[in-house]
Amino acid sequence: MLTEKFLMGRGRRYLTADDLAALEAAVERVVELPPRHTLTRRGEPVANSTLLLEGVLCRYMDDRDGDRQLVAVQIAGDFVDLHAFPMKHLDHDIATIGPATVALVPHDRLETLVLERSSLARMFWFSTLLDAAMHREWIFRLGRLDARGRVAHFFCELFERLTMVELAEDGRFGLPLTQADLGEACGMTPVHANRVLRGLREHGVITFRDGVVTIDDREELRRLAEFDPAYLYPGGPDG
């Protein structure tokens, strides 16, 4: 089943088997996408909500010169564009980072689920509120942390989120980002991002090489990041 593991960090444990089966039945099709593929462009009409099954996606915005700022990274189990269900379009673009597999749920089917299953409606609401909590934390990171802290916070968050969906183990996880992507997520140039990564590696904190992140000193990484995972609500809606 597509629903076997997804949404583990977004309140899935509050859903019944019937809820999961209904959501499964609402999926219209599953699509495999190539790396660096744009799913949704800012302002375009959106008729489906996209559940990320495998891979990594990003939300991003471009400035007037075409320079990109990542505003969110989505991992397996995320409903990537659930915001467009009530709003019908997005104010940002969504693209794959590496190869990805997504399930598409048409909005008319989503409407039926919301009307007929209150537990799914609450889960969708919780999911969008969780995204908002992560956006606030990203604002704090970019506005108040130095370069090392920003990079450290980025990796702390991804480790926690990937652990929730059983995609990180023993401080290691795959991440198909380039140093340019990292810079765009942390508000710095690729050269600066490279310098920060080198410093963290030389101090035995973290290594990011060939698409694999290895956290060598988790406590120091958290200290640099001023990281508290409470905003990710690891226990679901109850905390």
Side-chain angles (χ1 to χ4, degrees):
M1 291 178 65
L2 299 178
T3 55
E4 184 177 355
K5 288 182 61 175
F6 81 90
L7 296 171
M8 294 176 71
R10 292 181 176 253
R12 176 193 158 179
R13 67 191 178 96
Y14 292 89
L15 302 180
T16 66
D18 285 345
D19 290 330
L20 292 172
L23 185 54
E24 179 95 10
V27 173
E28 183 177 65
R29 65 186 188 278
V30 174
V31 181
E32 294 185 2
L33 302 171
R36 308 290 161 172
H37 172 80
T38 301
L39 284 77
T40 306
R41 294 193 182 277
R42 176 180 181 176
E44 291 184 349
V46 179
N48 300 290
S49 284
T50 305
L51 175 63
L52 179 57
L53 301 177
E54 295 181 2
V56 178
L57 305 182
C58 68
R59 304 175 191 267
Y60 70 93
M61 302 176 74
D62 292 326
D63 65 16
R64 67 185 64 184
D65 296 322
D67 294 322
R68 188 175 71 161
Q69 174 70 43
L70 298 193
V71 296
V73 170
Q74 309 293 159
I75 64 169
D78 290 350
F79 251 121
V80 179
D81 49 8
L82 194 58
H83 311 75
F85 170 48
M87 302 178 78
K88 304 310 176 187
H89 68 273
L90 296 174
D91 53 17
H92 54 275
D93 299 308
I94 299 176
T96 61
I97 297 292
T101 303
V102 300
L104 301 180
V105 181
H107 283 173
D108 57 346
R109 299 183 186 181
L110 209 56
E111 179 78 21
T112 299
L113 291 177
V114 168
L115 292 174
E116 294 182 352
R117 293 184 174 273
S118 60
S119 52
L120 280 173
R122 286 193 298 271
M123 188 272 290
F124 295 149
W125 190 11
F126 174 73
S127 182
T128 56
L129 292 174
L130 181 58
D131 284 334
M134 288 190 283
H135 282 309
R136 287 190 290 273
E137 195 74 12
W138 276 47
I139 292 170
F140 164 77
R141 184 184 78 209
L142 291 173
R144 290 299 177 185
L145 299 180
D146 62 16
R148 286 198 309 169
R150 279 177 263 159
V151 171
H153 192 286
F154 180 79
F155 285 123
C156 279
E157 179 181 287
L158 279 177
F159 174 70
E160 294 293 332
R161 292 170 63 196
L162 288 166
T163 297
M164 291 179 193
V165 293
E166 301 177 356
L167 292 175
E169 187 175 6
D170 297 328
R172 290 170 58 89
F173 56 90
L175 188 66
L177 269 68
T178 65
Q179 289 181 7
D181 296 326
L182 180 62
E184 290 167 354
C186 296
M188 61 188 72
T189 66
V191 172
H192 196 181
N194 178 272
R195 189 181 304 125
V196 172
L197 285 172
R198 184 172 65 247
L200 292 172
R201 182 179 67 249
E202 290 173 350
H203 284 85
V205 180
I206 192 170
T207 302
F208 181 30
R209 181 181 293 121
D210 298 327
V212 176
V213 177
T214 303
I215 300 175
D216 302 301
D217 190 336
R218 188 177 176 190
E219 291 306 313
E220 178 63 7
L221 192 70
R222 283 191 168 205
R223 187 190 70 79
L224 291 170
E226 299 184 27
F227 185 75
D228 180 349
Y231 72 97
L232 296 173
Y233 292 85
D238 292 337

